[in-house]
Structures are given as structure tokens and as C-alpha cells.
């Protein structure tokens, strides 16, 4: 009995070691092929979303496959165009105010340094402020350029979608892994869209009522960044601070610009989201944070948006096989030995 348990532990260690080596090799491959893999993964997700519409045309309306592909592509193109126009308008506004935003960040830093110096904490204020005023516009412009570059990959995404739709068998009933993956992603996208829309609307109304400049631009950033769990809410809450310091002399208004949106994020994240996302992704919060760091390191901000659905799908695949099921349990926050003991 003891020998069998030791053998099982050795197999588990060997599997974990091979998975780590495979992950490192896969990471290098994903970085090297990112210009192709990012559009391909986006195409897979888009195809998963529009697949019911495509299947309905083929199976119920009896449309020829090429007609169903064309009509589905028209819907995809319309949605991508609307989203692209929104991105273009938002990031044109961001680029236009980037230098002013950097100046306001610099002014806020000067106030902070004055406060520190009054407490005998010496910092090279001029150097740090100049660095901030120089780097902030660069970061804003680089972020906008990155997302605009993603939009420029739209043609490649559409080409992948065409081939994926043509290769799809609409008459085949999907069960097992593929059915779970498609259902999980569709539910996640719909639920996150509802949560993002609700959060952005409430935050935008609050910032607008407080009289903050560019209130609806910040609301749009809230809508986008909420798709990045945990981190997105924090970043979108902190972004308006320099504008608030420049616009308001009343400290209570400045506090309200941060405190009320933060409270909205907490309430929606603590009470609305758990009830709306009833099925859940079965991912531990630490797994989500590590996946954000991992995919963000590989694919930048785009990887952070894709991190959670990718990890959710990976967990589903790992759970289907006896050898890798302990890894799926680990992603869910359940230690294999403890899970087995509890059963």
C-alpha cells in the first residue's frame, strides 16, 4: 500500500515537471507567433459567439453554407466596426489629452512631494516630475497604438472566422469538452458584458453628476477594463485622480471621484456578479491573478483580456483526463490530496 502511494506521488511529480517544461516551451512559441496567434484566438472566440446564429441558418432555415457564412460575417463585421469606431473615438480623445493628463499627473506629484518635504523626506522632485510628465503621454499613446494595431488585424481575424465557420458541422450535436467550452465562454461573455455595462453606466453617471471633465471617456475605460478581473477595476478607479485634482478645489469632491466608483465596483463585484455568474468559472482568485500576469507577459494587454476565458477552457480540458485532473483541481483552488481525502 505504501509502495503504491509512493509510486502515485512519483507519477504526479513527473507529470507536473513535464507540464512545467511544456508550459515554458509553449510560452516561447506563443510569444514568437503572437502576430498570428492573437487573431486566431480572437477568431475562435468570435466563432464560438456567432456559432448558434450560423447553425440556425444551416439547420433550421436550410440556407446554403456559403450564404450562412456571408450573413454571419456581415453581423461580425458590423459588431467589429461599431467596436472599432468606439475604440478610435475614445483613444483619439485620450491621445488629444495625453499631454495635459501628464501635466496634471506632474502637478499632483509636486503636491505630494511638497507634502513629503514638509515632513523632512527629501526626494529629487524636479527629476521625478519631469520623468512623469514625459512618460505618461508615452504610455497613453503606446496603449492607444497597441489597440489600434489590434484593430488593424481585423482582416486576419475575419479570414480565420471564415475558415472556422466553413469547417463547422452544424448538424453535429456537440457534447463533452467542446459543448462545455462553448457554453462556458458564451455565458462568461454575456455575464461580463452585463456587469461591465452596469458598472460603466453607474460610474459614468456619478462622474458626470460630480462635474468631472471627460466623465464618459472614463466610463468607457471602465467598461473596457472591467473585462480584466480584479486589476481592471482598480486601474479604472485610479485613472481620474489627476483630472479630479486639477478640476476641483473641494477635497470632498476629489474623494468622491475615487470613493463612489470604488464602492460601485465593490458592490457589483461582491453582490451582483456572484449572483449573475451563478455557474462560475471554477477558477481560484490566485489562479486568475497568475493567469493575468502570465498572459499579460506573453501578449500584453490583449492577453490580459483573454486570460480568464483561456484558463477556464484549459481547466475544462484538464478535468476531462484522469492524468491531468489534479491540475484542474489545482486551478480551482483544491489541492489534489485534500480533494481526494474529502471524497
Amino acid at each position: 500500500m505504501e509502495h503504491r502511494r509512493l509510486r502515485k506521488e512519483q507519477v504526479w511529480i513527473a507529470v507536473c515537471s513535464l507540464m512545467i517544461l511544456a508550459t515554458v516551451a509553449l510560452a516561447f512559441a506563443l510569444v514568437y507567433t503572437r502576430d498570428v496567434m492573437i487573431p486566431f484566438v480572437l477568431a475562435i472566440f468570435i466563432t464560438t459567439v456567432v456559432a448558434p446564429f450560423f447553425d440556425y441558418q444551416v439547420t433550421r432555415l436550410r440556407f446554403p453554407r456559403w450564404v450562412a457564412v456571408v450573413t454571419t460575417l456581415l453581423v461580425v463585421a458590423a459588431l467589429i466596426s461599431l467596436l472599432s469606431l468606439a475604440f478610435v473615438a475614445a483613444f483619439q480623445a485620450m491621445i488629444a489629452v495625453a499631454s495635459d493628463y501628464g501635466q496634471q499627473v506632474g502637478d499632483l506629484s509636486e503636491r505630494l512631494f511638497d507634502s513629503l518635504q514638509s515632513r523632512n523626506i527629501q526626494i529629487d522632485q524636479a527629476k521625478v516630475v519631469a520623468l512623469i510628465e514625459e512618460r505618461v503621454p508615452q504610455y497613453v499613446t503606446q496603449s492607444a497604438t497597441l489597440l489600434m494595431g489590434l484593430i488593424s488585424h481585423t482582416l486576419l481575424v475575419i479570414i480565420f472566422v471564415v475558415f472556422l465557420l466553413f469547417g463547422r458541422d452544424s448538424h453535429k450535436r456537440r457534447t463533452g469538452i467542446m459543448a462545455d467550452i462553448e457554453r462556458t465562454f458564451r455565458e462568461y461573455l454575456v455575464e461580463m458584458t452585463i456587469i461591465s455595462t452596469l458598472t460603466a453606466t453607474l460610474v459614468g453617471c456619478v462622474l458626470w453628476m460630480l462635474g468631472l471633465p471627460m466623465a464618459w471617456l472614463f466610463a468607457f475605460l471602465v467598461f473596457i477594463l472591467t473585462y480584466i478581473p480584479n486589476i481592471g477595476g482598480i486601474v479604472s478607479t485610479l485613472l481620474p485622480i489627476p483630472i479630479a485634482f486639477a478640476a476641483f478645489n473641494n477635497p470632498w469632491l476629489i474623494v468622491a471621484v475615487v470613493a463612489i466608483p470604488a464602492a460601485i465596483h465593490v458592490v457589483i463585484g461582491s453582490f451582483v456578479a456572484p449572483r449573475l455568474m451563478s455557474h462560475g468559472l471554477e477558477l481560484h482568485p490566485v489562479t486568475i491573478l497568475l493567469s493575468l500576469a502570465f498572459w499579460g507577459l506573453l501578449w500584453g494587454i490583449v492577453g490580459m483580456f483573454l486570460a480568464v476565458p483561456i484558463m477556464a477552457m484549459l481547466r475544462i480540458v484538464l478535468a476531462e483526463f484522469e492524468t491531468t485532473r489534479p491540475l484542474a483541481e489545482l486551478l480551482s483552488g483544491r489541492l489534489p490530496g485534500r480533494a481526494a481525502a474529502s471524497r
Side-chain angles (χ1 to χ4, degrees):
M1 186 69 179
E2 183 68 22
H3 176 73
R4 184 184 302 173
R5 186 176 65 85
L6 180 61
R7 177 64 178 169
K8 188 175 181 180
E9 291 179 354
Q10 290 174 343
V11 171
W12 166 241
I13 293 173
V15 169
C16 288
S17 301
L18 290 174
M19 291 295 294
I20 292 173
L21 293 175
T23 301
V24 173
L26 180 62
F28 279 104
L30 290 174
V31 171
Y32 184 75
T33 61
R34 60 186 300 170
D35 291 336
V36 175
M37 288 304 299
I38 291 177
F40 180 66
V41 173
L42 288 174
I44 291 175
F45 288 155
I46 292 173
T47 304
T48 303
V49 172
V50 301
F53 177 63
F54 175 79
D55 294 341
Y56 180 80
Q57 296 178 82
V58 174
T59 59
R60 299 293 182 87
L61 301 180
R62 307 293 182 179
F63 284 175
R65 182 173 292 273
W66 70 269
V67 174
V69 170
V70 170
T71 55
T72 304
L73 283 181
L74 290 175
V75 174
V76 172
L79 294 176
I80 291 178
S81 298
L82 290 175
L83 187 61
S84 299
L85 289 174
F87 271 117
V88 169
F91 286 103
Q92 280 181 344
M94 288 181 63
I95 292 173
V97 301
S99 59
D100 294 336
Y101 189 83
Q103 180 64 43
Q104 289 160 359
V105 172
D107 294 340
L108 176 59
S109 302
E110 288 181 358
R111 297 185 189 181
L112 177 62
F113 290 139
D114 291 339
S115 176
L116 293 175
Q117 287 178 354
S118 66
R119 294 173 171 80
N120 295 323
I121 301 176
Q122 299 299 322
I123 298 177
D124 190 349
Q125 177 179 344
K127 182 177 180 180
V128 175
V129 171
L131 183 63
I132 291 175
E133 292 180 356
E134 177 186 355
R135 291 294 178 86
V136 169
Q138 291 180 2
Y139 292 146
V140 174
T141 305
Q142 288 172 1
S143 300
T145 304
L146 176 64
L147 290 174
M148 293 300 294
L150 179 62
I151 294 173
S152 69
H153 285 100
T154 301
L155 180 60
L156 186 57
V157 172
I158 292 177
I159 292 174
F160 281 133
V161 170
V162 170
F163 280 95
L164 289 172
L165 289 177
F166 269 115
R168 182 179 178 84
D169 186 358
S170 301
H171 298 280
K172 181 180 179 181
R173 181 178 178 83
R174 282 161 180 78
T175 58
I177 295 178
M178 289 305 302
D180 289 342
I181 288 176
E182 291 187 359
R183 176 187 57 80
T184 299
F185 178 70
R186 288 185 193 128
E187 290 179 353
Y188 172 79
L189 184 63
V190 171
E191 291 159 356
M192 286 302 299
T193 300
I194 295 173
I195 292 170
S196 297
T197 303
L198 177 61
T199 306
T201 302
L202 293 176
V203 170
C205 290
V206 167
L207 297 180
W208 176 73
M209 292 174 63
L210 292 174
L212 184 75
M214 301 184 296
W216 293 108
L217 173 60
F218 288 117
F220 179 77
L221 294 177
V222 169
F223 174 79
I224 297 299
L225 292 173
T226 302
Y227 283 93
I228 303 177
N230 305 325
I231 298 176
I234 297 173
V235 173
S236 61
T237 301
L238 298 178
L239 284 177
I241 290 179
I243 303 295
F245 271 91
F248 304 132
N249 293 322
N250 188 341
W252 290 109
L253 286 177
I254 299 174
V255 172
V257 166
V258 178
I260 298 179
I264 292 173
H265 281 284
V266 170
V267 170
I268 292 179
S270 301
F271 299 101
V272 178
R275 287 165 175 76
L276 186 63
M277 303 180 74
S278 55
H279 298 287
L281 299 175
E282 296 189 39
L283 293 176
H284 194 272
V286 175
T287 301
I288 293 176
L289 288 176
L290 290 177
S291 65
L292 290 173
F294 176 77
W295 289 102
L297 182 64
L298 295 185
W299 289 351
I301 190 172
V302 179
M304 298 182 75
F305 281 103
L306 300 176
V308 174
I310 288 176
M311 294 305 296
M313 294 176 187
L314 178 62
R315 187 202 61 78
I316 292 173
V317 174
L318 293 176
E320 288 293 321
F321 302 98
E322 185 67 30
T323 304
T324 57
R325 192 165 297 153
L327 294 175
E329 295 288 329
L330 195 60
L331 293 178
S332 300
R334 297 185 291 269
L335 295 178
R338 186 174 298 178
S342 63
R343 287 194 291 269

